[in-house]
Amino acid sequence: MKAITANELKTRGVASIDAALKDQDEAFISVRGKDCYVVMDVETYNRLRVCELEAALYQARQEIADGKAVEESVEEHIERIKKL
């Protein structure tokens, strides 16, 4: 994955991000030689977000299937949380 230095980003701005994302989906931004951030185009972000939501849905369904879910009213939920 290509890295954009903080200095390059400061001097070239968004053009440096555009160049880095021309041939790949994401790029690191490095600060003082250390990779600190990742930039990506919106399509890649949205795809990853959908994957994250699907994983959370899968996990919730698995917990329900395993009997780990609790069905209760809002009032019961608040009382249970207060006791923790």
XYZ file of all heavy atoms in Angstrom:
662
model
N 0.849 -1.171 0.000
C 0.000 0.000 0.000
C 0.896 1.236 0.000
O 1.855 1.327 0.740
C -0.888 -0.037 1.252
C -1.877 1.073 1.297
S -2.991 1.085 2.740
C -3.434 -0.588 2.966
N 0.554 2.186 -0.828
C 1.338 3.411 -0.936
C 1.159 4.278 0.307
O 0.084 4.333 0.884
C 0.892 4.201 -2.172
C 1.653 5.497 -2.372
C 1.292 6.132 -3.680
C 1.840 7.509 -3.884
N 3.093 7.869 -3.366
N 2.221 4.924 0.699
C 2.163 5.845 1.832
C 2.325 7.273 1.333
O 3.133 7.553 0.444
C 3.254 5.527 2.845
N 1.533 8.152 1.888
C 1.636 9.586 1.619
C 2.236 10.204 2.867
O 1.738 9.978 3.974
C 0.247 10.202 1.377
C -0.505 9.465 0.273
C 0.356 11.682 1.069
C -1.992 9.786 0.226
N 3.297 10.949 2.710
C 3.879 11.590 3.892
C 3.037 12.801 4.279
O 2.361 13.406 3.438
C 5.327 12.037 3.632
O 5.323 13.050 2.622
C 6.199 10.869 3.193
N 3.068 13.137 5.542
C 2.329 14.301 6.018
C 2.806 15.562 5.311
O 2.000 16.429 4.965
C 2.486 14.442 7.529
N 4.106 15.635 5.040
C 4.644 16.797 4.348
C 4.105 16.882 2.918
O 3.748 17.960 2.438
C 6.176 16.751 4.336
C 6.771 18.052 3.865
O 6.366 19.116 4.328
N 7.709 17.974 2.934
N 4.048 15.735 2.233
C 3.499 15.717 0.876
C 2.029 16.142 0.896
O 1.576 16.906 0.045
C 3.629 14.311 0.274
C 3.052 14.171 -1.118
C 3.116 12.748 -1.642
O 3.657 11.852 -0.965
O 2.587 12.533 -2.748
N 1.287 15.664 1.875
C -0.116 16.035 1.997
C -0.258 17.530 2.257
O -1.145 18.189 1.696
C -0.774 15.231 3.120
C -2.273 15.414 3.312
C -3.047 15.059 2.054
C -2.746 14.551 4.472
N 0.633 18.057 3.062
C 0.591 19.487 3.379
C 0.896 20.336 2.145
O 0.252 21.358 1.916
C 1.597 19.790 4.497
C 1.488 21.203 5.040
C 2.217 21.358 6.349
C 3.698 21.496 6.152
N 4.400 21.863 7.401
N 1.848 19.901 1.343
C 2.243 20.713 0.191
C 1.361 20.480 -1.037
O 1.047 21.415 -1.758
C 3.712 20.455 -0.195
O 3.893 19.076 -0.480
C 4.645 20.900 0.908
N 0.956 19.228 -1.271
C 0.178 18.922 -2.477
C -1.316 18.797 -2.220
O -2.108 18.766 -3.151
C 0.690 17.638 -3.117
C 2.108 17.777 -3.661
C 2.551 16.571 -4.462
N 1.645 16.321 -5.581
C 1.248 15.105 -5.944
N 1.668 14.036 -5.318
N 0.424 14.947 -6.960
N -1.705 18.642 -0.968
C -3.114 18.566 -0.619
C -3.804 17.330 -1.179
O -3.216 16.247 -1.262
N -5.040 17.513 -1.608
C -5.869 16.412 -2.083
C -5.263 15.751 -3.317
O -5.484 14.558 -3.547
C -7.306 16.919 -2.365
C -8.168 15.837 -2.979
C -7.947 17.441 -1.096
N -4.471 16.466 -4.075
C -3.834 15.875 -5.260
C -2.960 14.691 -4.876
O -2.881 13.705 -5.624
C -3.003 16.929 -5.998
N -2.330 14.751 -3.718
C -1.498 13.619 -3.286
C -2.369 12.401 -2.960
O -1.981 11.267 -3.229
C -0.634 14.001 -2.081
O -1.429 14.347 -0.970
N -3.549 12.632 -2.410
C -4.471 11.530 -2.132
C -5.001 10.953 -3.440
O -5.050 9.737 -3.618
C -5.633 11.999 -1.230
C -5.096 12.421 0.136
C -6.686 10.910 -1.087
C -6.120 13.076 1.037
N -5.396 11.821 -4.355
C -5.873 11.359 -5.660
C -4.840 10.488 -6.356
O -5.173 9.438 -6.900
C -6.231 12.545 -6.561
C -7.510 13.239 -6.159
O -8.352 12.605 -5.481
O -7.679 14.411 -6.525
N -3.591 10.907 -6.322
C -2.522 10.139 -6.971
C -2.323 8.787 -6.296
O -2.146 7.769 -6.968
C -1.220 10.936 -6.951
N -2.388 8.769 -4.983
C -2.182 7.515 -4.246
C -3.322 6.532 -4.485
O -3.108 5.324 -4.534
C -2.041 7.804 -2.756
N -4.539 7.044 -4.650
C -5.699 6.171 -4.820
C -5.980 5.825 -6.282
O -6.933 5.111 -6.578
C -6.944 6.818 -4.193
C -6.893 7.041 -2.692
C -8.183 7.690 -2.210
C -6.636 5.744 -1.948
N -5.125 6.292 -7.163
C -5.325 6.027 -8.592
C -5.286 4.530 -8.895
O -6.095 4.026 -9.667
C -4.256 6.754 -9.409
C -4.409 6.606 -10.890
C -3.333 7.382 -11.630
C -3.481 7.169 -13.126
N -2.414 7.825 -13.858
N -4.358 3.805 -8.277
C -4.162 2.389 -8.577
C -4.502 1.452 -7.421
O -4.243 0.259 -7.502
C -2.699 2.150 -8.999
C -2.333 2.937 -10.245
O -3.196 3.080 -11.124
O -1.181 3.408 -10.325
N -5.037 1.976 -6.333
C -5.351 1.141 -5.181
C -6.531 1.731 -4.427
O -6.892 2.882 -4.639
C -4.140 0.996 -4.266
C -3.566 2.321 -3.796
C -2.211 2.158 -3.141
O -1.510 1.194 -3.393
N -1.857 3.087 -2.294
N -7.120 0.921 -3.547
C -8.324 1.342 -2.831
C -8.047 2.217 -1.618
O -8.902 2.989 -1.213
C -9.127 0.123 -2.375
C -9.745 -0.627 -3.535
O -9.952 -0.006 -4.603
O -10.021 -1.825 -3.386
N -6.882 2.062 -1.009
C -6.559 2.865 0.166
C -5.068 3.167 0.206
O -4.283 2.534 -0.483
C -7.001 2.185 1.456
C -6.354 0.869 1.765
C -7.155 -0.340 1.303
O -8.362 -0.269 1.128
O -6.514 -1.379 1.101
N -4.721 4.155 1.031
C -3.315 4.542 1.178
C -3.080 5.008 2.608
O -3.976 5.546 3.260
C -2.955 5.664 0.199
N -1.876 4.772 3.104
C -1.477 5.246 4.429
C -1.056 6.707 4.351
O -0.531 7.148 3.344
C -0.267 4.464 4.961
C -0.576 3.065 5.385
C 0.011 1.990 4.745
C -1.429 2.817 6.443
C -0.252 0.697 5.128
C -1.706 1.513 6.842
C -1.115 0.458 6.183
N -1.257 7.412 5.440
C -0.630 8.721 5.627
C 0.368 8.522 6.751
O 0.009 8.085 7.843
C -1.647 9.814 5.992
C -2.625 10.012 4.835
C -0.927 11.123 6.337
C -3.713 11.020 5.116
N 1.626 8.800 6.454
C 2.668 8.598 7.464
C 3.105 9.941 8.036
O 3.211 10.937 7.337
C 3.866 7.848 6.871
O 4.480 8.625 5.876
N 3.329 9.920 9.335
C 3.785 11.101 10.060
C 5.087 10.729 10.741
O 5.131 9.785 11.531
C 2.733 11.551 11.106
C 3.219 12.773 11.869
C 1.389 11.817 10.438
N 6.135 11.435 10.396
C 7.481 11.175 10.919
C 7.898 9.721 10.708
O 8.434 9.066 11.589
C 7.557 11.554 12.395
C 7.371 13.038 12.644
C 7.504 13.391 14.124
N 7.125 14.762 14.360
C 5.885 15.151 14.665
N 4.914 14.279 14.760
N 5.635 16.428 14.867
N 7.556 9.193 9.535
C 7.966 7.847 9.175
C 7.092 6.728 9.725
O 7.351 5.560 9.482
N 6.043 7.078 10.448
C 5.150 6.069 11.030
C 3.772 6.174 10.381
O 3.189 7.257 10.317
C 5.033 6.301 12.538
C 4.154 5.302 13.233
C 4.089 5.584 14.726
C 3.130 4.608 15.389
N 2.912 4.940 16.794
N 3.247 5.040 9.902
C 1.904 5.031 9.320
C 0.892 5.311 10.412
O 0.803 4.573 11.403
C 1.615 3.681 8.660
C 2.488 3.432 7.451
O 2.958 4.419 6.842
O 2.704 2.259 7.104
N 0.118 6.386 10.237
C -0.824 6.812 11.279
C -2.282 6.803 10.841
O -3.167 6.637 11.679
C -0.478 8.223 11.740
S 1.108 8.342 12.565
N -2.530 7.015 9.559
C -3.897 7.127 9.074
C -4.047 6.364 7.767
O -3.067 6.081 7.088
C -4.265 8.602 8.828
C -4.036 9.473 10.028
C -2.883 10.249 10.139
C -4.963 9.525 11.059
C -2.657 11.035 11.243
C -4.748 10.320 12.169
C -3.589 11.076 12.258
O -3.375 11.854 13.353
N -5.284 6.061 7.427
C -5.595 5.434 6.147
C -6.658 6.278 5.467
O -7.635 6.686 6.103
C -6.128 3.994 6.329
C -6.540 3.394 5.001
C -5.090 3.122 7.009
N -6.455 6.563 4.193
C -7.469 7.258 3.407
C -7.967 6.313 2.327
O -7.230 5.433 1.868
C -6.941 8.562 2.768
C -6.645 9.589 3.825
C -5.733 8.314 1.907
N -9.225 6.492 1.963
C -9.815 5.640 0.927
C -10.922 6.418 0.247
O -11.414 7.416 0.787
C -10.365 4.352 1.531
C -11.481 4.553 2.523
S -11.998 3.062 3.378
C -10.656 2.819 4.503
N -11.311 5.941 -0.937
C -12.414 6.607 -1.614
C -13.735 6.185 -0.964
O -13.800 5.230 -0.191
C -12.397 6.346 -3.119
C -12.547 4.873 -3.473
O -13.137 4.110 -2.689
O -12.069 4.492 -4.548
N -14.784 6.907 -1.270
C -16.078 6.683 -0.634
C -16.641 5.306 -0.972
O -17.248 4.655 -0.111
C -17.068 7.803 -1.028
C -18.470 7.497 -0.542
C -16.610 9.130 -0.486
N -16.450 4.841 -2.191
C -16.942 3.510 -2.567
C -16.334 2.431 -1.670
O -17.027 1.536 -1.197
C -16.613 3.201 -4.023
C -17.515 3.884 -5.009
C -17.184 3.476 -6.443
O -16.714 2.353 -6.664
O -17.404 4.311 -7.327
N -15.028 2.512 -1.436
C -14.355 1.533 -0.582
C -14.871 1.643 0.845
O -15.156 0.634 1.498
C -12.829 1.744 -0.616
O -12.390 1.634 -1.967
C -12.111 0.732 0.245
N -15.020 2.860 1.337
C -15.540 3.064 2.692
C -16.939 2.452 2.824
O -17.222 1.745 3.792
C -15.596 4.552 3.040
C -16.303 4.814 4.336
C -15.651 4.628 5.551
C -17.636 5.208 4.356
C -16.314 4.836 6.758
C -18.310 5.416 5.543
C -17.635 5.228 6.743
O -18.291 5.427 7.925
N -17.813 2.725 1.863
C -19.177 2.203 1.920
C -19.193 0.678 1.872
O -19.973 0.041 2.582
C -20.034 2.785 0.801
C -20.396 4.237 1.059
O -20.451 4.688 2.190
N -20.617 4.983 -0.012
N -18.333 0.079 1.056
C -18.249 -1.380 0.986
C -17.807 -1.953 2.333
O -18.391 -2.914 2.836
C -17.271 -1.802 -0.121
C -17.164 -3.296 -0.301
C -16.305 -3.677 -1.496
N -15.094 -2.896 -1.687
C -13.947 -3.091 -1.046
N -13.850 -4.053 -0.149
N -12.897 -2.338 -1.296
N -16.807 -1.340 2.955
C -16.338 -1.803 4.257
C -17.401 -1.602 5.334
O -17.562 -2.433 6.233
C -15.043 -1.087 4.649
C -13.829 -1.425 3.798
C -12.646 -0.547 4.191
C -13.471 -2.890 3.912
N -18.129 -0.526 5.245
C -19.192 -0.257 6.218
C -20.283 -1.317 6.112
O -20.789 -1.805 7.127
C -19.766 1.146 5.974
C -20.791 1.557 6.976
C -20.164 1.869 8.319
N -21.217 2.291 9.211
C -21.420 1.812 10.423
N -20.596 0.922 10.922
N -22.404 2.229 11.162
N -20.663 -1.682 4.892
C -21.668 -2.734 4.701
C -21.159 -4.050 5.287
O -21.902 -4.764 5.972
C -22.026 -2.882 3.202
C -22.819 -4.155 2.949
C -22.820 -1.676 2.725
N -19.888 -4.363 5.051
C -19.313 -5.594 5.615
C -19.361 -5.575 7.139
O -19.684 -6.588 7.772
C -17.868 -5.774 5.144
S -17.706 -6.175 3.407
N -19.061 -4.431 7.715
C -19.090 -4.294 9.170
C -20.504 -4.498 9.718
O -20.707 -5.193 10.711
C -18.570 -2.909 9.546
C -18.495 -2.632 11.017
C -17.967 -1.241 11.319
O -18.313 -0.287 10.601
O -17.191 -1.123 12.279
N -21.481 -3.916 9.048
C -22.870 -4.068 9.487
C -23.350 -5.503 9.317
O -24.070 -6.027 10.180
C -23.772 -3.092 8.727
C -23.541 -1.614 9.051
C -24.324 -0.737 8.085
C -23.893 -1.295 10.484
N -22.962 -6.152 8.229
C -23.337 -7.548 8.028
C -22.708 -8.452 9.088
O -23.348 -9.394 9.569
C -22.943 -8.009 6.624
C -23.840 -7.430 5.548
C -23.422 -7.816 4.141
O -22.349 -8.443 3.957
O -24.173 -7.481 3.214
N -21.471 -8.157 9.470
C -20.813 -8.940 10.523
C -21.527 -8.757 11.859
O -21.718 -9.724 12.610
C -19.347 -8.538 10.641
N -21.957 -7.535 12.161
C -22.683 -7.276 13.411
C -24.032 -7.989 13.408
O -24.443 -8.555 14.428
C -22.875 -5.771 13.601
N -24.706 -7.982 12.266
C -25.986 -8.680 12.154
C -25.791 -10.181 12.328
O -26.563 -10.839 13.037
C -26.636 -8.381 10.801
C -27.984 -9.027 10.529
C -29.012 -8.610 11.586
C -28.470 -8.663 9.135
N -24.760 -10.734 11.716
C -24.461 -12.157 11.858
C -24.205 -12.498 13.324
O -24.718 -13.485 13.845
C -23.253 -12.538 11.008
C -22.794 -13.957 11.236
C -23.438 -15.025 10.617
C -21.734 -14.238 12.101
C -23.042 -16.330 10.839
C -21.336 -15.536 12.332
C -21.981 -16.582 11.701
O -21.585 -17.873 11.937
N -23.408 -11.672 13.994
C -23.097 -11.916 15.400
C -24.355 -11.860 16.262
O -24.549 -12.703 17.148
C -22.078 -10.901 15.902
C -21.677 -11.097 17.346
C -20.671 -10.063 17.822
O -20.335 -9.121 17.110
N -20.194 -10.237 19.029
N -25.225 -10.888 16.008
C -26.466 -10.777 16.777
C -27.347 -11.997 16.556
O -27.904 -12.554 17.516
C -27.208 -9.503 16.389
N -27.458 -12.434 15.307
C -28.271 -13.626 15.019
C -27.682 -14.864 15.684
O -28.423 -15.725 16.176
C -28.373 -13.827 13.511
C -29.295 -12.827 12.847
C -29.368 -13.039 11.358
N -30.353 -12.145 10.767
C -30.382 -11.810 9.497
N -29.473 -12.296 8.649
N -31.307 -11.004 9.036
N -26.357 -14.948 15.718
C -25.699 -16.088 16.361
C -25.956 -16.090 17.863
O -26.220 -17.130 18.452
C -24.189 -16.060 16.071
C -23.472 -17.326 16.430
C -23.940 -18.508 15.591
O -24.088 -18.396 14.388
N -24.194 -19.624 16.243
N -25.900 -14.912 18.483
C -26.168 -14.813 19.920
C -27.618 -15.177 20.237
O -27.892 -15.826 21.253
C -25.826 -13.415 20.427
C -24.325 -13.162 20.459
C -23.953 -11.757 20.876
O -24.848 -10.953 21.217
O -22.740 -11.462 20.856
N -28.536 -14.788 19.366
C -29.939 -15.164 19.557
C -30.083 -16.675 19.451
O -30.736 -17.319 20.283
C -30.843 -14.437 18.545
C -30.904 -12.945 18.877
C -32.252 -15.043 18.530
C -31.539 -12.094 17.801
N -29.460 -17.262 18.438
C -29.528 -18.716 18.242
C -28.905 -19.470 19.410
O -29.356 -20.563 19.770
C -28.834 -19.098 16.939
N -27.875 -18.888 20.028
C -27.198 -19.528 21.163
C -27.909 -19.274 22.490
O -27.418 -19.694 23.548
C -25.753 -19.034 21.266
C -24.892 -19.489 20.104
O -25.294 -20.423 19.376
O -23.794 -18.903 19.911
N -29.028 -18.553 22.456
C -29.782 -18.286 23.676
C -29.184 -17.201 24.549
O -29.496 -17.117 25.732
N -28.357 -16.360 23.989
C -27.713 -15.299 24.771
C -28.506 -13.993 24.751
O -28.098 -13.024 25.379
C -26.298 -15.038 24.241
C -25.369 -16.221 24.410
C -24.001 -15.903 23.849
C -23.076 -17.105 23.967
N -21.775 -16.858 23.335
N -29.616 -13.967 24.047
C -30.418 -12.748 23.940
C -31.354 -12.634 25.128
O -31.767 -13.635 25.717
C -31.218 -12.761 22.641
N -31.697 -11.408 25.478
C -32.631 -11.150 26.566
C -33.780 -10.348 25.982
O -33.570 -9.320 25.346
C -31.955 -10.336 27.701
C -32.955 -9.969 28.779
C -30.778 -11.093 28.270
N -35.008 -10.830 26.210
C -36.190 -10.096 25.760
C -36.829 -9.467 26.974
O -37.203 -10.171 27.924
C -37.168 -11.052 25.072
C -38.292 -10.335 24.371
C -39.154 -11.274 23.548
O -38.626 -12.262 23.014
O -40.360 -11.011 23.462
N -36.915 -8.116 26.968
C -37.445 -7.407 28.124
C -37.950 -6.043 27.701
O -37.612 -5.553 26.618
C -36.361 -7.261 29.198
C -35.146 -6.489 28.748
C -33.961 -6.608 29.689
O -34.058 -7.310 30.705
O -32.921 -6.002 29.384
N -38.717 -5.425 28.559
C -39.216 -4.077 28.287
C -38.090 -3.073 28.528
O -37.049 -3.407 29.109
C -40.391 -3.755 29.206
O -39.928 -3.612 30.541
N -38.340 -1.850 28.131
C -37.354 -0.785 28.360
C -37.109 -0.610 29.852
O -35.963 -0.499 30.306
C -37.823 0.538 27.721
C -36.902 1.688 28.096
C -37.936 0.401 26.210
N -38.187 -0.607 30.621
C -38.065 -0.427 32.067
C -37.249 -1.553 32.699
O -36.382 -1.316 33.551
C -39.452 -0.345 32.722
C -40.252 0.886 32.344
C -40.938 0.770 30.976
O -41.027 -0.356 30.422
O -41.352 1.815 30.451
N -37.526 -2.799 32.280
C -36.766 -3.943 32.792
C -35.293 -3.845 32.404
O -34.408 -4.159 33.207
C -37.364 -5.249 32.261
C -38.734 -5.566 32.799
C -39.415 -6.698 32.048
O -39.136 -6.891 30.839
O -40.218 -7.394 32.668
N -35.047 -3.384 31.196
C -33.659 -3.243 30.723
C -32.904 -2.212 31.562
O -31.776 -2.452 31.996
C -33.661 -2.839 29.244
C -32.308 -2.640 28.678
N -31.439 -3.680 28.432
C -31.646 -1.512 28.310
C -30.306 -3.207 27.933
N -30.412 -1.897 27.851
N -33.547 -1.081 31.816
C -32.905 -0.033 32.612
C -32.624 -0.533 34.026
O -31.539 -0.304 34.575
C -33.769 1.252 32.619
C -33.746 1.870 31.207
C -33.267 2.244 33.663
C -34.700 3.021 31.022
N -33.553 -1.232 34.621
C -33.351 -1.777 35.961
C -32.206 -2.782 35.977
O -31.383 -2.803 36.900
C -34.634 -2.432 36.488
C -35.678 -1.426 36.931
C -35.183 -0.494 38.007
O -34.551 -0.965 38.979
O -35.416 0.730 37.881
N -32.139 -3.640 34.955
C -31.055 -4.628 34.890
C -29.696 -3.951 34.758
O -28.724 -4.326 35.414
C -31.293 -5.586 33.715
C -30.268 -6.711 33.633
C -30.674 -7.764 32.617
N -30.923 -7.255 31.286
C -29.963 -7.076 30.358
N -28.718 -7.365 30.638
N -30.273 -6.614 29.168
N -29.641 -2.908 33.971
C -28.367 -2.182 33.783
C -27.965 -1.472 35.075
O -26.788 -1.426 35.423
C -28.480 -1.194 32.604
C -28.552 -1.967 31.292
C -27.311 -0.227 32.584
C -28.764 -1.115 30.082
N -28.922 -0.898 35.796
C -28.616 -0.220 37.054
C -27.990 -1.158 38.075
O -27.176 -0.743 38.901
C -29.877 0.404 37.651
C -30.343 1.664 36.945
C -31.604 2.199 37.609
C -32.102 3.454 36.930
N -33.346 3.942 37.549
N -28.335 -2.436 38.002
C -27.823 -3.418 38.957
C -26.400 -3.869 38.622
O -25.744 -4.497 39.457
C -28.743 -4.631 39.007
C -30.097 -4.331 39.584
C -31.003 -5.538 39.542
C -32.389 -5.192 40.049
N -33.300 -6.341 39.931
N -25.928 -3.552 37.421
C -24.573 -4.003 37.040
C -23.485 -3.265 37.757
O -23.456 -2.237 38.165
C -24.392 -3.854 35.526
C -25.271 -4.726 34.656
C -24.982 -4.457 33.188
C -25.023 -6.211 34.940
